[in-house]
Every structure is written in C-alpha cells, then in structure tokens.
C-alpha cells in the first residue's frame, strides 16, 4: 500500500488511518510525497520520526501498488499505478479552491481591513479541475464524512458519483473518544482546576487569524491575568511555509509571556479537549471546537473562502467576532457556547469511521478483514507541554485593610507602566535590561551571586524550594501556602515590616502565605 502524503497537514489526517493495518502481515505500508504539493517542508521529518519506508515520487509512479491512499487531490495522482482512495484532510469539503496554487504560506503582514471579495471559485476537491484528468476520474474512491458533501459532488461532477463513499470523520471520532482524558491533557499543559486555558487557533493564508491579525496572540496575553494560559495552534502551512525557526522567532516575546506553542503534527486535538475557550477563524480546528460545544469566538473569518451550508459556514454564522479595538477579556466571556447543527454536519457516521474505512480499504485490496479488533487509539499527550511560564511580571501593589493587593502583567508583551510598580524577572531572561532593573529575581537554582547581575534587586526567589532571600542576608525566608512569586511580591510590598502571615489578593483572587525562617 502507498500513502501519498503531500503536506504535514495531510500527514496529520492520514496517521489516523495507519493503525487500521496494524498486525496484518499481508500489508506493507510505503510512503511518498508528490513534488508539487503546496508546502512540502516538514514531510521528510515526519517520515523520519515515524521510521517508515519512504520512497521518491519517481519510484512511486514506476511501481505497482495494490492501493494508494491520500488526503489531497493535488500531485499528479493519475500517474500512480494503483487504485486511488482520496479522504478529506479538513472538516468535509468546506473551502473554495484558490484561483491559483500558492506554493508557500503567505506572510502574516498586518491588514488594514478585511480581504477584498474574490471572484467565485470552485469548491476544493469537488470540481472537475480537481477530480478529472483528461476527462477521466482520477480516484477510484472518494471518501466523504457526510451525505451533504456527496450531494454537492452530484451537482458539480455527476460522473464521479459512483466513486463516492460516506465513512464519517476519523479525526473527529478520535476527539470524541478522548474527551474523558481531559484531565491528562490539562496536566500536560500545566493547567490545574483554577487555570483558564484559551486555545488560539489559526488556519493559513491572509484571511486567517494569524495572517490578518498577527498580533492577536500578543494582544490576548497583554490583557489576560496570569492565571489564564494561552496555547496557540497554528496551521502546519504556517509552520512549514515560513519555517519553525521563523514562527518561534516571531512569537518569542509571547512565549516568554507564557504562550504555549502546540507543534504542527500532533497535540492540537488534545489541546482542544483541554480548552476552556477557543479563539479561532474559519479553519477546521475552530469548527471542531464548536462541534465539541466549546465556547468559541472568532478573531477572523474569511467568508469568501468558505462554502455555504457546510459545518464551517454554520459555525461562522453562529459565532461572534472579536472587536480588535475593544478590550478582549469581556468579549471572551461572551463567547458562544451553543452550536446547533455544527456537529451533525461534521459527520453523519459518528463513531463509525474506523470500522467503515477498514472495510472499504480491505475491499479495495481484495483481502478479508483481520479477525483482530479495530485499532483506534485515544489521543496521546504527545506535543503538549506547559511552556516556559511567564518570564517577567510588572506588578503594581497597594495595602488596603492589611491585605496586599497585587496586579500582575506580562512584561514581555506590555510596556512597563509609569508610576509605582516592581519588576519580577527570571534570572535567565534574555533581555539584559529586564534582569539588571529587576526588583525581584527568580530562578530554580538560586544563589547569592545572582544579586550581582541586578544592582537594584532586593529579593531573590528560589522557585524550587519556595524561599526568598533579602539582599545582604544569608538566611532565606520560607514562603508557604501559595505561588512563591505571588508571595514574594507581597513580601516585597511590606518589606522588612512583614507579619508571619500575609493576606493577598493577586489579580482578583485571594491567597494567603505564611513566612518562616
């Protein structure tokens, strides 16, 4: 069998199918990549990580295979010497085809306004240009998740109708089957029960959230209190169209402000399950969030790219849009949580995709199905990580009725305000100005020598032991009862005249801390 993997995005979908052939000695899996895919960067690394047999396209088209499976229509599939099965690599077939192929992801330049309306274009995967070569159907089987897509196929390319098969959505089935693992995914992301996790998702191209509003992640982090975490899910074409190095460079300040970057191949579905709120656009990730009845609000939505009557279109009709010029936090609180019709349009065979697909593939292979059970593993926590945490806080403080009130903001994405405040900085922060001007330094390997790099530093906090050391003192103070950085900021506020117990309200939440030698 040949798996034709055009991009990392399609690899993500095809890897849901690979386990269906486990334990069958009759089947050998071989992988290849067509040379004219949209964004081929990253696919070779996926093959290497999976440790699969990977062959060149020239070799693939020169050999006979019993079956070829792909999640794309692009790539001279008519040259293959095998029956071809095409499965969807999104939420159904919800997008219109670009007027011309875009070989690289678009640069996420800021846009002054919404994209100009484009001329009507055919639906991706459901037009003669995508399905026929010299008047002949390229694929032997076209797999759909819902009859709604088959109806559109019948209207656009009626001669392709005999090749259509409805088999549900294996991607969404795995999401549904894994929802009970939510505590595992949240723990892997460093989120406890008191943490609000926002998943910010963007598809690619200029009309996407990241393409039309590249600073939206920074703006989110600027406004959110530290007990909100933000995990970003960017389309693989963003990662590999620009390079992982470039994406990490663009978002380096956001990462230092606590942003969690979910890698492009795996982890996004587990992050969706873990999420409390999803900020997205017209991409599949946002639509799956709505199908899970998550609170969703849109940072962008390119209506000219979406086919009417689809799950994505329905989601876009129901979802609220973020006002970029207004505070975002109140808008997140109003995110829609009611999505009638969205889940039903994602799949008309919920929970059945693995069974239906295995039967279909073995029929095409002219082999009997294995006696073993169908392999449909729950989503792992691979790709999830807690991030680096916030590396620098600007803290304003006041004492009211013996309670220390703290307001903390993420320094890397927010200018240091004028007026009374103190600066809390990680000892390894890459910006020297922050380190040297820190009032409080924190680290997991504290030692008195660190005071030398910050002349104005008064407190040094060891986050591993939960201790704070005043400059000029050898004996540290132990901080019990709450986050040592919250306790340290409260201790800094009262300085030497501190009681044995501190009552604190930090970012609107109450804490208490006991101090001991």
């Amino acid at each position: 069998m040949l798996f034709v993997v055009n991009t990392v995005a399609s690899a993500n979908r095809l890897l849901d199918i690979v386990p269906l052939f486990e334990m069958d000695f009759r089947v050998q899996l071989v992988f290849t990549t067509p040379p004219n895919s949209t964004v081929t960067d990253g696919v070779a690394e996926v093959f290497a990580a999976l440790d699969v047999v990977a062959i060149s396209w020239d070799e693939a088209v020169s050999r006979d295979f019993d079956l070829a499976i792909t999640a794309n229509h692009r790539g001279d599939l008519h040259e293959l010497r095998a029956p071809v099965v095409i499965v969807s690599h999104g939420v159904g077939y919800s997008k219109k085809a670009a007027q011309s192929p875009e070989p690289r992801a678009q640069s996420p330049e800021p846009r002054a306004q919404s994209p100009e309306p484009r001329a009507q274009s055919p639906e991706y995967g459901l037009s003669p240009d995508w399905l026929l070569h010299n008047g002949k159907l390229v694929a032997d089987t076209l797999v759909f998740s819902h009859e709604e897509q088959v109806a559109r196929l019948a209207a656009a390319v009626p001669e392709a109708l005999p090749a259509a098969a409805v088999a549900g959505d294996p991607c969404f089935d795995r999401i549904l089957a894994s929802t009970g693992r939510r505590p595992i995914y949240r723990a892997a992301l460093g989120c406890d029960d008191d943490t609000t996790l926002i998943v910010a998702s963007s598809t690619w191209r200029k009309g996407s959230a990241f393409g039309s509003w590249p600073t939206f992640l920074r703006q989110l982090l600027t406004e959110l209190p530290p007990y909100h975490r933000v995990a970003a899910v960017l389309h693989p074409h963003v990662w590999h169209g620009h390079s992982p190095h470039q994406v990490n460079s663009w978002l380096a300040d956001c990462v230092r402000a606590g942003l969690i970057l979910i890698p492009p191949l795996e982890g996004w579905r587990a992050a969706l399950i873990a999420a409390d709120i999803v900020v997205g656009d017209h991409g599949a990730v946002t639509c799956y969030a709505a199908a899970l009845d998550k609170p969703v609000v849109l940072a962008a939505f390119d209506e000219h790219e979406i086919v009417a009557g689809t799950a994505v279109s329905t989601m876009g009709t129901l979802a609220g849009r973020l006002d970029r010029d207004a505070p975002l936090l109140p808008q997140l609180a109003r995110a829609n949580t009611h999505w009638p019709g969205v889940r039903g349009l994602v799949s008309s065979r919920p929970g059945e995709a693995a069974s239906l697909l295995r039967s279909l593939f073995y029929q095409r292979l002219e082999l009997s199905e294995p006696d073993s059970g169908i392999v449909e593993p729950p989503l792992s926590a691979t790709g999830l990580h807690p991030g680096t945490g916030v590396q620098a806080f600007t803290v304003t403080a006041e004492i009211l009725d013996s309670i220390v009130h703290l307001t903390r903001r993420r320094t890397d994405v927010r200018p240091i305000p004028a007026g009374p405040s103190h600066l809390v900085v990680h000892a390894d922060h890459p910006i020297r100005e922050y380190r040297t001007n820190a009032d409080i330094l924190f680290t997991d390997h504290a030692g008195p020598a660190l005071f030398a790099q910050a002349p104005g530093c008064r407190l040094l906090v060891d986050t591993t032991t939960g201790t704070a050391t005043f400059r000029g003192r050898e004996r540290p103070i132990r901080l019990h009862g709450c986050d040592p950085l919250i306790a340290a900021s409260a201790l800094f506020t009262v300085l030497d005249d501190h009681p044995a117990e501190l009552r604190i309200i930090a970012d609107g939440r109450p804490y208490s801390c006991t101090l001991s030698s």
Side-chain angles (χ1 to χ4, degrees):
M1 281 183 52
L2 182 69
F3 276 86
V4 181
V5 184
N6 293 53
T7 65
V8 174
S10 53
N12 189 289
R13 299 311 181 96
L14 291 172
L15 290 178
D16 286 333
I17 293 172
V18 168
L20 299 179
F21 303 98
E22 284 188 7
M23 302 172 289
D24 193 339
F25 290 104
R26 301 170 297 172
V27 178
Q28 165 73 53
L29 305 184
V30 179
F31 293 74
T32 192
T33 304
N36 55 348
S37 301
T38 306
V39 181
T40 57
D41 292 358
V43 176
E45 289 78 4
V46 171
F47 289 167
L50 295 173
D51 208 12
V52 299
V53 174
I55 62 175
S56 69
W57 181 251
D58 288 342
E59 184 178 355
V61 298
S62 67
R63 290 173 53 180
D64 293 322
F65 289 91
D66 294 295
L67 187 64
I69 302 176
T70 183
N72 293 83
H73 295 73
R74 190 189 302 272
D76 295 330
L77 298 176
H78 60 278
E79 296 182 2
L80 293 172
R81 291 155 51 177
V84 175
V85 176
I86 301 179
V87 300
S88 173
H89 70 278
V91 179
Y93 287 85
S94 60
K95 291 188 178 181
K96 298 173 184 175
Q99 294 284 14
S100 58
E102 296 182 47
R104 305 286 290 182
Q106 295 292 316
S107 176
E109 294 295 328
R111 297 177 64 89
Q113 57 188 6
S114 300
E116 292 295 326
R118 295 192 287 265
Q120 183 72 15
S121 56
E123 299 173 15
Y124 172 81
L126 294 180
S127 67
D129 290 345
W130 292 104
L131 294 174
L132 305 179
H133 178 73
N134 291 335
K136 182 180 178 182
L137 190 64
V138 173
D140 296 84
T141 306
L142 298 166
V143 179
F144 299 96
S145 63
H146 198 286
E147 286 79 4
E148 174 271 329
Q149 298 147 31
V150 178
R152 284 189 278 136
L153 175 72
V157 193
E159 60 267 44
L161 196 57
V166 178
D169 185 332
C171 175
F172 190 52
D173 281 359
R174 290 190 68 194
I175 294 174
L176 291 176
S178 302
T179 54
R181 295 169 58 85
R182 174 177 160 89
I184 297 173
Y185 306 144
R186 286 182 63 84
L189 290 165
C191 297
D192 59 23
D193 292 341
D194 294 326
T195 304
T196 299
L197 175 62
I198 299 169
V199 168
S201 171
S202 177
T203 187
W204 64 305
R205 293 186 175 151
K206 288 185 177 180
S208 68
F210 193 54
S212 65
W213 187 7
T215 59
F216 88 104
L217 292 169
R218 188 172 296 125
Q219 189 170 339
L220 269 176
L221 292 162
T222 297
E223 295 189 25
L224 296 176
Y227 55 80
H228 283 66
R229 301 298 309 274
V230 179
V233 175
L234 303 179
H235 194 283
H237 288 1
V238 176
W239 281 98
H240 295 293
H242 298 292
S243 82
H245 175 271
Q246 185 63 73
V247 172
N248 281 293
S249 176
W250 278 332
L251 298 175
D253 59 338
C254 294
V255 171
R256 291 194 297 270
L259 178 69
I260 302 168
L261 281 174
I262 305 298
L265 182 63
E266 192 55 90
W268 66 269
R269 291 178 290 189
L272 269 191
I273 293 170
D276 296 300
I277 303 170
V278 176
V279 179
D281 56 16
H282 54 285
V285 176
T286 314
C287 188
Y288 282 130
L292 288 174
D293 292 324
K294 295 284 183 178
V296 173
V297 64
L298 298 177
F301 193 86
D302 191 347
E303 296 176 352
H304 306 292
E305 192 173 328
I306 298 304
V307 177
T310 61
V312 177
S313 172
T314 303
M315 181 268 297
T317 301
L318 297 171
R321 269 64 163 176
L322 286 178
D323 181 347
R324 304 179 183 192
D325 299 318
L328 299 182
L329 191 55
Q331 298 182 70
L332 296 181
R334 298 193 296 270
N336 188 24
T337 59
H338 186 50
W339 305 101
V342 174
R343 180 181 293 200
L345 284 171
V346 168
S347 172
S348 62
R349 304 286 192 277
E352 300 179 41
S355 174
L356 292 171
L357 286 171
R358 191 173 81 160
S359 294
L360 185 152
F361 295 144
Y362 274 92
Q363 287 173 15
R364 298 298 181 266
L365 289 169
E366 298 183 353
L367 292 174
S368 59
E369 285 192 62
D371 294 331
S372 59
I374 296 173
V375 178
E376 190 179 13
L379 299 171
S380 75
T382 301
L384 304 186
H385 59 88
T388 62
V390 183
Q391 300 294 289
F393 295 98
T394 302
V395 185
T396 56
E398 62 177 338
I399 303 173
L400 298 172
D401 298 327
S402 301
I403 300 175
V404 182
H405 292 256
L406 306 173
T407 301
R408 304 184 299 158
R409 289 295 180 261
R410 307 164 201 255
T411 308
D412 279 282
V413 291
R414 185 185 182 98
I416 298 175
S421 64
H422 63 267
L423 189 59
V424 184
V425 181
H426 195 283
D428 295 330
H429 197 289
I431 298 178
R432 181 187 299 178
E433 179 185 357
Y434 290 172
R435 298 196 310 268
T436 57
N437 290 318
D439 298 290
I440 300 173
L441 282 176
F442 66 95
T443 178
D444 59 0
H445 53 273
L450 290 175
F451 277 118
Q453 68 174 282
C457 178
R458 184 70 188 273
L459 278 178
L460 183 62
V461 179
D462 187 325
T463 55
T464 301
T465 61
T467 58
T469 303
F470 278 99
R471 178 184 287 274
R473 297 185 191 176
E474 293 185 2
R475 179 172 295 181
I477 297 174
R478 297 194 175 277
L479 312 171
H480 309 274
C482 70
D483 183 327
L485 295 187
I486 293 176
S489 281
L491 181 60
F492 180 87
T493 303
V494 299
L495 294 175
D496 294 326
D497 186 23
H498 60 79
E501 182 175 358
L502 291 171
R503 291 190 297 156
I504 309 164
I505 294 179
D507 308 308
R509 292 186 169 186
Y511 301 89
S512 64
C513 173
T514 57
L515 311 175
S516 64
S517 299

PDB file of all heavy atoms in Angstrom, residues 150-173:
ATOM      1  N   VAL A 150     -21.690  14.653  -0.614  1.00  0.00           N
ATOM      2  CA  VAL A 150     -21.999  13.829  -1.782  1.00  0.00           C
ATOM      3  C   VAL A 150     -23.029  14.534  -2.668  1.00  0.00           C
ATOM      4  O   VAL A 150     -22.944  14.479  -3.908  1.00  0.00           O
ATOM      5  CB  VAL A 150     -22.506  12.439  -1.350  1.00  0.00           C
ATOM      6  CG1 VAL A 150     -22.876  11.597  -2.572  1.00  0.00           C
ATOM      7  CG2 VAL A 150     -21.462  11.726  -0.511  1.00  0.00           C
ATOM      8  N   ALA A 151     -23.968  15.227  -2.056  1.00  0.00           N
ATOM      9  CA  ALA A 151     -24.962  15.973  -2.832  1.00  0.00           C
ATOM     10  C   ALA A 151     -24.288  17.074  -3.646  1.00  0.00           C
ATOM     11  O   ALA A 151     -24.650  17.314  -4.809  1.00  0.00           O
ATOM     12  CB  ALA A 151     -26.014  16.568  -1.898  1.00  0.00           C
ATOM     13  N   ARG A 152     -23.303  17.725  -3.081  1.00  0.00           N
ATOM     14  CA  ARG A 152     -22.579  18.746  -3.833  1.00  0.00           C
ATOM     15  C   ARG A 152     -21.755  18.117  -4.953  1.00  0.00           C
ATOM     16  O   ARG A 152     -21.619  18.686  -6.034  1.00  0.00           O
ATOM     17  CB  ARG A 152     -21.679  19.544  -2.889  1.00  0.00           C
ATOM     18  CG  ARG A 152     -22.448  20.554  -2.043  1.00  0.00           C
ATOM     19  CD  ARG A 152     -21.510  21.471  -1.282  1.00  0.00           C
ATOM     20  NE  ARG A 152     -21.004  20.854  -0.053  1.00  0.00           N
ATOM     21  CZ  ARG A 152     -19.753  20.905   0.352  1.00  0.00           C
ATOM     22  NH1 ARG A 152     -18.845  21.528  -0.382  1.00  0.00           N
ATOM     23  NH2 ARG A 152     -19.379  20.345   1.479  1.00  0.00           N
ATOM     24  N   LEU A 153     -21.188  16.941  -4.673  1.00  0.00           N
ATOM     25  CA  LEU A 153     -20.450  16.227  -5.720  1.00  0.00           C
ATOM     26  C   LEU A 153     -21.369  15.893  -6.890  1.00  0.00           C
ATOM     27  O   LEU A 153     -20.997  16.075  -8.060  1.00  0.00           O
ATOM     28  CB  LEU A 153     -19.844  14.955  -5.139  1.00  0.00           C
ATOM     29  CG  LEU A 153     -19.128  14.037  -6.127  1.00  0.00           C
ATOM     30  CD1 LEU A 153     -17.811  14.667  -6.578  1.00  0.00           C
ATOM     31  CD2 LEU A 153     -18.887  12.658  -5.515  1.00  0.00           C
ATOM     32  N   ALA A 154     -22.559  15.427  -6.582  1.00  0.00           N
ATOM     33  CA  ALA A 154     -23.503  15.041  -7.635  1.00  0.00           C
ATOM     34  C   ALA A 154     -23.867  16.228  -8.511  1.00  0.00           C
ATOM     35  O   ALA A 154     -24.050  16.087  -9.729  1.00  0.00           O
ATOM     36  CB  ALA A 154     -24.751  14.431  -7.010  1.00  0.00           C
ATOM     37  N   ALA A 155     -23.964  17.408  -7.905  1.00  0.00           N
ATOM     38  CA  ALA A 155     -24.316  18.595  -8.672  1.00  0.00           C
ATOM     39  C   ALA A 155     -23.147  19.099  -9.509  1.00  0.00           C
ATOM     40  O   ALA A 155     -23.338  19.601 -10.626  1.00  0.00           O
ATOM     41  CB  ALA A 155     -24.791  19.697  -7.721  1.00  0.00           C
ATOM     42  N   ALA A 156     -21.914  18.965  -8.985  1.00  0.00           N
ATOM     43  CA  ALA A 156     -20.746  19.541  -9.656  1.00  0.00           C
ATOM     44  C   ALA A 156     -20.100  18.588 -10.651  1.00  0.00           C
ATOM     45  O   ALA A 156     -19.704  18.992 -11.743  1.00  0.00           O
ATOM     46  CB  ALA A 156     -19.712  19.979  -8.605  1.00  0.00           C
ATOM     47  N   VAL A 157     -19.967  17.315 -10.262  1.00  0.00           N
ATOM     48  CA  VAL A 157     -19.299  16.328 -11.124  1.00  0.00           C
ATOM     49  C   VAL A 157     -20.104  15.031 -11.048  1.00  0.00           C
ATOM     50  O   VAL A 157     -19.710  14.064 -10.386  1.00  0.00           O
ATOM     51  CB  VAL A 157     -17.837  16.085 -10.677  1.00  0.00           C
ATOM     52  CG1 VAL A 157     -17.063  15.321 -11.751  1.00  0.00           C
ATOM     53  CG2 VAL A 157     -17.118  17.384 -10.358  1.00  0.00           C
ATOM     54  N   PRO A 158     -21.240  14.964 -11.698  1.00  0.00           N
ATOM     55  CA  PRO A 158     -22.119  13.793 -11.543  1.00  0.00           C
ATOM     56  C   PRO A 158     -21.453  12.487 -11.954  1.00  0.00           C
ATOM     57  O   PRO A 158     -21.785  11.431 -11.404  1.00  0.00           O
ATOM     58  CB  PRO A 158     -23.315  14.123 -12.448  1.00  0.00           C
ATOM     59  CG  PRO A 158     -22.847  15.227 -13.354  1.00  0.00           C
ATOM     60  CD  PRO A 158     -21.832  15.980 -12.585  1.00  0.00           C
ATOM     61  N   GLU A 159     -20.498  12.539 -12.876  1.00  0.00           N
ATOM     62  CA  GLU A 159     -19.846  11.307 -13.306  1.00  0.00           C
ATOM     63  C   GLU A 159     -18.970  10.698 -12.211  1.00  0.00           C
ATOM     64  O   GLU A 159     -18.562   9.535 -12.298  1.00  0.00           O
ATOM     65  CB  GLU A 159     -19.006  11.547 -14.567  1.00  0.00           C
ATOM     66  CG  GLU A 159     -17.896  12.573 -14.420  1.00  0.00           C
ATOM     67  CD  GLU A 159     -18.329  13.982 -14.827  1.00  0.00           C
ATOM     68  OE1 GLU A 159     -19.439  14.389 -14.436  1.00  0.00           O
ATOM     69  OE2 GLU A 159     -17.544  14.651 -15.525  1.00  0.00           O
ATOM     70  N   ALA A 160     -18.689  11.497 -11.158  1.00  0.00           N
ATOM     71  CA  ALA A 160     -17.865  10.994 -10.043  1.00  0.00           C
ATOM     72  C   ALA A 160     -18.703  10.323  -8.958  1.00  0.00           C
ATOM     73  O   ALA A 160     -18.146   9.705  -8.042  1.00  0.00           O
ATOM     74  CB  ALA A 160     -17.058  12.128  -9.431  1.00  0.00           C
ATOM     75  N   LEU A 161     -20.012  10.424  -9.075  1.00  0.00           N
ATOM     76  CA  LEU A 161     -20.877   9.925  -8.002  1.00  0.00           C
ATOM     77  C   LEU A 161     -20.683   8.438  -7.700  1.00  0.00           C
ATOM     78  O   LEU A 161     -20.693   8.046  -6.518  1.00  0.00           O
ATOM     79  CB  LEU A 161     -22.336  10.219  -8.354  1.00  0.00           C
ATOM     80  CG  LEU A 161     -23.351  10.133  -7.207  1.00  0.00           C
ATOM     81  CD1 LEU A 161     -22.969  11.072  -6.066  1.00  0.00           C
ATOM     82  CD2 LEU A 161     -24.754  10.467  -7.717  1.00  0.00           C
ATOM     83  N   PRO A 162     -20.480   7.561  -8.690  1.00  0.00           N
ATOM     84  CA  PRO A 162     -20.281   6.135  -8.355  1.00  0.00           C
ATOM     85  C   PRO A 162     -19.056   5.877  -7.482  1.00  0.00           C
ATOM     86  O   PRO A 162     -18.974   4.826  -6.833  1.00  0.00           O
ATOM     87  CB  PRO A 162     -20.134   5.479  -9.730  1.00  0.00           C
ATOM     88  CG  PRO A 162     -20.836   6.390 -10.675  1.00  0.00           C
ATOM     89  CD  PRO A 162     -20.589   7.763 -10.154  1.00  0.00           C
ATOM     90  N   ALA A 163     -18.100   6.801  -7.454  1.00  0.00           N
ATOM     91  CA  ALA A 163     -16.891   6.599  -6.649  1.00  0.00           C
ATOM     92  C   ALA A 163     -17.075   7.069  -5.213  1.00  0.00           C
ATOM     93  O   ALA A 163     -16.184   6.851  -4.379  1.00  0.00           O
ATOM     94  CB  ALA A 163     -15.714   7.346  -7.275  1.00  0.00           C
ATOM     95  N   ALA A 164     -18.206   7.699  -4.890  1.00  0.00           N
ATOM     96  CA  ALA A 164     -18.391   8.301  -3.562  1.00  0.00           C
ATOM     97  C   ALA A 164     -18.721   7.257  -2.506  1.00  0.00           C
ATOM     98  O   ALA A 164     -19.463   6.305  -2.762  1.00  0.00           O
ATOM     99  CB  ALA A 164     -19.502   9.342  -3.616  1.00  0.00           C
ATOM    100  N   ALA A 165     -18.142   7.442  -1.325  1.00  0.00           N
ATOM    101  CA  ALA A 165     -18.448   6.590  -0.169  1.00  0.00           C
ATOM    102  C   ALA A 165     -18.484   7.477   1.074  1.00  0.00           C
ATOM    103  O   ALA A 165     -17.595   8.309   1.281  1.00  0.00           O
ATOM    104  CB  ALA A 165     -17.384   5.506  -0.002  1.00  0.00           C
ATOM    105  N   VAL A 166     -19.505   7.309   1.897  1.00  0.00           N
ATOM    106  CA  VAL A 166     -19.630   8.066   3.144  1.00  0.00           C
ATOM    107  C   VAL A 166     -19.119   7.190   4.279  1.00  0.00           C
ATOM    108  O   VAL A 166     -19.631   6.096   4.510  1.00  0.00           O
ATOM    109  CB  VAL A 166     -21.090   8.490   3.399  1.00  0.00           C
ATOM    110  CG1 VAL A 166     -21.208   9.225   4.733  1.00  0.00           C
ATOM    111  CG2 VAL A 166     -21.586   9.382   2.258  1.00  0.00           C
ATOM    112  N   ALA A 167     -18.091   7.679   4.985  1.00  0.00           N
ATOM    113  CA  ALA A 167     -17.476   6.861   6.043  1.00  0.00           C
ATOM    114  C   ALA A 167     -17.198   7.657   7.310  1.00  0.00           C
ATOM    115  O   ALA A 167     -16.429   7.208   8.159  1.00  0.00           O
ATOM    116  CB  ALA A 167     -16.184   6.237   5.530  1.00  0.00           C
ATOM    117  N   GLY A 168     -17.811   8.822   7.474  1.00  0.00           N
ATOM    118  CA  GLY A 168     -17.600   9.586   8.699  1.00  0.00           C
ATOM    119  C   GLY A 168     -16.241  10.262   8.746  1.00  0.00           C
ATOM    120  O   GLY A 168     -15.516  10.333   7.754  1.00  0.00           O
ATOM    121  N   ASP A 169     -15.891  10.751   9.923  1.00  0.00           N
ATOM    122  CA  ASP A 169     -14.680  11.546  10.119  1.00  0.00           C
ATOM    123  C   ASP A 169     -13.816  10.893  11.200  1.00  0.00           C
ATOM    124  O   ASP A 169     -14.109  11.004  12.389  1.00  0.00           O
ATOM    125  CB  ASP A 169     -15.064  12.966  10.538  1.00  0.00           C
ATOM    126  CG  ASP A 169     -13.882  13.900  10.651  1.00  0.00           C
ATOM    127  OD1 ASP A 169     -12.767  13.433  10.936  1.00  0.00           O
ATOM    128  OD2 ASP A 169     -14.060  15.119  10.469  1.00  0.00           O
ATOM    129  N   PRO A 170     -12.727  10.195  10.820  1.00  0.00           N
ATOM    130  CA  PRO A 170     -11.903   9.522  11.831  1.00  0.00           C
ATOM    131  C   PRO A 170     -11.227  10.493  12.790  1.00  0.00           C
ATOM    132  O   PRO A 170     -10.988  10.166  13.947  1.00  0.00           O
ATOM    133  CB  PRO A 170     -10.873   8.758  10.997  1.00  0.00           C
ATOM    134  CG  PRO A 170     -10.829   9.463   9.682  1.00  0.00           C
ATOM    135  CD  PRO A 170     -12.212   9.989   9.452  1.00  0.00           C
ATOM    136  N   CYS A 171     -10.920  11.695  12.303  1.00  0.00           N
ATOM    137  CA  CYS A 171     -10.292  12.699  13.171  1.00  0.00           C
ATOM    138  C   CYS A 171     -11.240  13.088  14.301  1.00  0.00           C
ATOM    139  O   CYS A 171     -10.865  13.077  15.480  1.00  0.00           O
ATOM    140  CB  CYS A 171      -9.915  13.919  12.333  1.00  0.00           C
ATOM    141  SG  CYS A 171      -9.264  15.309  13.280  1.00  0.00           S
ATOM    142  N   PHE A 172     -12.474  13.398  13.957  1.00  0.00           N
ATOM    143  CA  PHE A 172     -13.435  13.812  14.979  1.00  0.00           C
ATOM    144  C   PHE A 172     -13.805  12.648  15.890  1.00  0.00           C
ATOM    145  O   PHE A 172     -14.021  12.833  17.090  1.00  0.00           O
ATOM    146  CB  PHE A 172     -14.681  14.389  14.314  1.00  0.00           C
ATOM    147  CG  PHE A 172     -15.626  15.064  15.285  1.00  0.00           C
ATOM    148  CD1 PHE A 172     -15.173  16.028  16.160  1.00  0.00           C
ATOM    149  CD2 PHE A 172     -16.971  14.726  15.312  1.00  0.00           C
ATOM    150  CE1 PHE A 172     -16.036  16.649  17.050  1.00  0.00           C
ATOM    151  CE2 PHE A 172     -17.838  15.341  16.189  1.00  0.00           C
ATOM    152  CZ  PHE A 172     -17.369  16.306  17.064  1.00  0.00           C
ATOM    153  N   ASP A 173     -13.866  11.442  15.338  1.00  0.00           N
ATOM    154  CA  ASP A 173     -14.156  10.273  16.173  1.00  0.00           C
ATOM    155  C   ASP A 173     -13.109  10.111  17.276  1.00  0.00           C
ATOM    156  O   ASP A 173     -13.434   9.793  18.424  1.00  0.00           O
ATOM    157  CB  ASP A 173     -14.208   9.013  15.321  1.00  0.00           C
ATOM    158  CG  ASP A 173     -15.524   8.867  14.570  1.00  0.00           C
ATOM    159  OD1 ASP A 173     -16.398   9.738  14.727  1.00  0.00           O
ATOM    160  OD2 ASP A 173     -15.667   7.882  13.814  1.00  0.00           O
TER     161      ASP A 173
END
